[in-house]
């Protein structure tokens, strides 16, 4: 059986409890050692890791600024060899010290990722390769995703997601004839990696956000071409329904909380915009729906209700006294707080 990874704080808690059980004679010292040996402490962001990460960033930036500042004085062959040598050098050094100095190795690979990205842009400039900047970010993402998989590094995959955000948004807004179809291959691959990495919280959030961003951009691009009069309303309505689906879709336990919160955020944001397009019946119905969610223990819905209050506060600015708006909002929030406290005393649970 593989050891379970827990945080240092959790390990210290278990150690404290096992010491207590040993002192009371419930378990022996051997049993305590054996049980504690079933856990591994996760590597936290300690001083060495931060120091090495900053060092990798400075090393990467240093190489790039050196090449950029002397770029015009170098021949094409020297430029190309310099980029390749730096790229191979730092990654080779990272592999060589990996077993003995894993954190140093990782920082060298981080520097390699920066040099790889800058190398793409410098080679484009050197050989006058004319492609959209977002395609360059796609190439950069392709390189980093392999390095992230090799290193089993969540931060590298987070950086890959960031590059893909630039790629898909640049594809839509910079070049209307270029669609980010590569994202349709990337997203399934990222979800496979997410599973292999056991669904880290931040990575799950960013990959879900990338998927939502992709769907929204494709809808914004293609729905207007179908010739509907109110294409914006149609796009917002589809995203609103998608938000509702995400809020309730059955997914793995580790994905559930983040996916459901993102669903609530999505239908909340789109509903705010839809209140400008639909009659008063939509916000009233949505308000009742939010009250139902709050009764089910949804804290996110309180934030959405606050946003709705603020939206109608702006709308009614000319005829509704500010003080009355604040009083109504304050009474509602205190009422929600009273409700949740009362529910908690009765043993109820909050969803988010």
């Amino acid at each position: 059986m593989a050891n379970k990874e827990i945080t240092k704080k959790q390990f210290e808690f278990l150690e404290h409890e096992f010491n207590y059980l040993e002192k009371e004679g419930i378990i022996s010292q051997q049993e305590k050692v054996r049980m504690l040996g079933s856990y591994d402490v996760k590597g936290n962001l300690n001083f060495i890791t931060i120091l090495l990460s900053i060092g990798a960033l400075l090393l990467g930036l240093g190489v790039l600024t050196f090449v950029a500042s002397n770029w015009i004085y170098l021949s094409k062959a020297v430029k190309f060899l310099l980029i390749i040598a730096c790229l191979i050098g730092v990654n080779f050094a990272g592999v060589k010290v990996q077993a003995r100095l894993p954190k140093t190795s990782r920082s060298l690979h981080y520097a390699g990722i920066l040099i790889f990205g800058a190398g793409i842009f410098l080679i484009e400039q050197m050989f006058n390769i004319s492609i959209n900047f977002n395609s360059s970010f796609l190439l950069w993402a392709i390189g980093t995703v392999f390095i992230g998989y090799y290193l089993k590094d969540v931060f590298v995959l987070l950086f890959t997601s960031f590059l893909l955000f630039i790629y898909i948004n640049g594809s839509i807004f910079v070049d209307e004839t270029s669609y980010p179809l590569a994202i349709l291959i990337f997203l399934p691959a990222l979800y496979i990696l997410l599973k292999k990495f056991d669904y880290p919280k931040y990575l799950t959030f960013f990959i879900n956000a990338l998927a939502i961003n992709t769907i929204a951009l494709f809808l914004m691009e293609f729905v207007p071409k179908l010739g509907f009069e109110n294409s914006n309303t149609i796009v917002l309505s589809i995203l609103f329904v998608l938000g509702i689906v995400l809020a309730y879709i059955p997914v793995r336990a580790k994905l559930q909380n983040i996916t459901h919160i993102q669903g609530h955020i999505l239908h909340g944001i789109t509903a705010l915009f839809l209140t400008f397009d639909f009659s008063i019946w939509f916000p009233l119905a949505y308000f009742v729906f939010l009250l139902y969610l709050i009764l089910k223990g949804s804290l996110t819905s309180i934030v959405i209700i606050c946003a709705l209050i603020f939206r109608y506060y702006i709308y009614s600015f000319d005829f509704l006294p500010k003080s009355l708006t604040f009083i109504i909002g304050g009474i509602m929030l205190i009422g929600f707080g009273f409700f949740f406290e009362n529910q908690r005393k009765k043993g109820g649970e909050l969803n988010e």
Side-chain angles (χ1 to χ4, degrees):
M1 182 184 73
N3 287 357
K4 183 179 180 182
E5 284 197 344
I6 58 177
T7 64
K8 185 179 179 182
K9 190 174 181 181
Q10 290 171 328
F11 186 84
E12 288 174 350
F13 172 77
L14 286 177
E15 189 176 31
H16 178 267
E17 292 300 308
F18 290 162
N19 284 335
Y20 167 74
L21 294 176
E22 181 191 3
K23 184 179 177 182
E24 295 295 320
I26 300 174
I27 61 174
S28 65
Q29 184 183 15
Q30 291 77 11
E31 287 173 325
K32 183 190 78 173
V33 173
R34 183 173 55 82
M35 286 190 286
L36 284 175
S38 303
Y39 299 93
D40 285 334
V41 178
K42 288 181 182 177
N44 292 325
L45 279 178
N46 55 27
F47 175 74
I48 296 175
T49 303
I50 295 171
L51 194 67
L52 288 169
S53 299
I54 295 173
L57 180 65
L58 293 177
L59 175 62
L61 291 175
V63 171
L64 298 180
T65 52
F66 171 78
V67 173
S69 59
N70 296 280
W71 200 243
I72 58 175
Y73 305 108
L74 304 174
S75 66
K76 285 186 177 181
V78 173
K79 294 173 184 175
F80 185 74
L81 289 175
L82 189 60
I83 293 169
I84 297 298
C86 289
L87 184 61
I88 294 176
V90 292
N91 282 297
F92 180 75
V95 172
K96 289 294 287 182
V97 302
Q98 187 169 6
R100 194 164 56 89
L101 303 168
K103 292 177 181 175
T104 302
S105 166
R106 198 161 293 253
S107 68
L108 289 171
H109 287 301
Y110 290 164
I113 289 171
L114 291 176
I115 293 171
F116 172 66
I120 291 172
F121 291 100
L122 292 175
I123 287 174
E124 285 174 10
Q125 180 189 350
M126 185 169 57
F127 294 105
N128 296 318
I129 300 173
S130 179
I131 60 173
N132 289 332
F133 79 95
N134 54 299
S135 299
S136 304
F137 280 93
L138 174 63
L139 294 174
W140 197 353
I142 291 172
T144 57
V145 75
F146 285 110
I147 296 174
Y149 175 71
Y150 167 73
L151 296 176
K152 301 290 184 294
D153 192 305
V154 172
F155 294 107
V156 175
L157 290 180
L158 283 174
F159 184 65
T160 305
S161 301
F162 170 73
L163 296 176
L164 290 173
F165 269 112
I166 298 175
Y167 161 64
I168 61 171
N169 289 288
S171 297
I172 292 294
F173 292 112
V174 173
D175 184 356
E176 295 182 351
T177 62
S178 175
Y179 303 113
L181 297 178
I183 198 70
L184 302 180
I185 299 173
F186 251 108
L187 276 174
L190 287 175
Y191 275 107
I192 291 172
L193 291 178
L194 189 65
K195 181 181 178 183
K196 286 184 176 293
F197 284 29
D198 199 24
Y199 306 104
K201 190 185 301 181
Y202 298 114
L203 189 57
T204 302
F205 179 87
F206 272 94
I207 293 177
N208 280 347
L210 185 64
I212 294 169
N213 190 181
T214 302
I215 293 170
L217 288 178
F218 272 105
L219 288 172
M220 290 167 61
E221 183 63 28
F222 291 111
V223 170
K225 293 180 179 176
L226 297 177
F228 295 111
E229 288 186 4
N230 302 316
S231 57
N232 288 337
T233 305
I234 293 173
V235 171
L236 285 171
S237 300
I238 294 173
L239 292 174
F240 175 76
V241 174
L242 176 64
I244 300 288
V245 171
L246 286 176
Y248 291 98
I249 190 171
V251 291
R252 291 176 179 273
K254 289 195 171 181
L255 283 170
Q256 184 171 304
N257 196 34
I258 291 175
T259 303
H260 289 185
I261 288 177
Q262 287 178 306
H264 285 306
I265 293 172
L266 181 60
H267 73 66
I269 292 174
T270 50
L272 286 175
F273 284 102
L274 286 172
T275 57
F276 292 97
D277 295 343
F278 292 149
S279 67
I280 192 65
W281 292 107
F282 175 77
L284 286 176
Y286 186 63
F287 185 77
V288 172
F289 174 64
L290 291 175
L291 290 178
Y292 165 76
L293 294 180
I294 291 171
L295 289 174
K296 293 290 183 182
S298 172
L299 294 176
T300 310
S301 299
I302 294 180
V303 179
I304 300 173
I305 281 185
C306 290
L308 266 179
I309 293 170
F310 185 69
R311 173 255 186 272
Y312 281 98
Y313 166 71
I314 295 174
Y315 183 73
S316 59
F317 186 79
D318 293 333
F319 59 88
L320 186 66
K322 292 180 184 177
S323 55
L324 182 59
T325 306
F326 287 123
I327 290 170
I328 294 172
I331 291 174
M332 289 178 64
L333 292 180
I334 291 171
F336 290 143
F338 168 77
F339 170 76
F340 283 124
E341 187 177 13
N342 197 39
Q343 285 293 100
R344 195 170 265 179
K345 282 188 175 179
K346 291 178 180 177
E349 292 184 356
L350 302 180
N351 293 332
E352 302 136 17

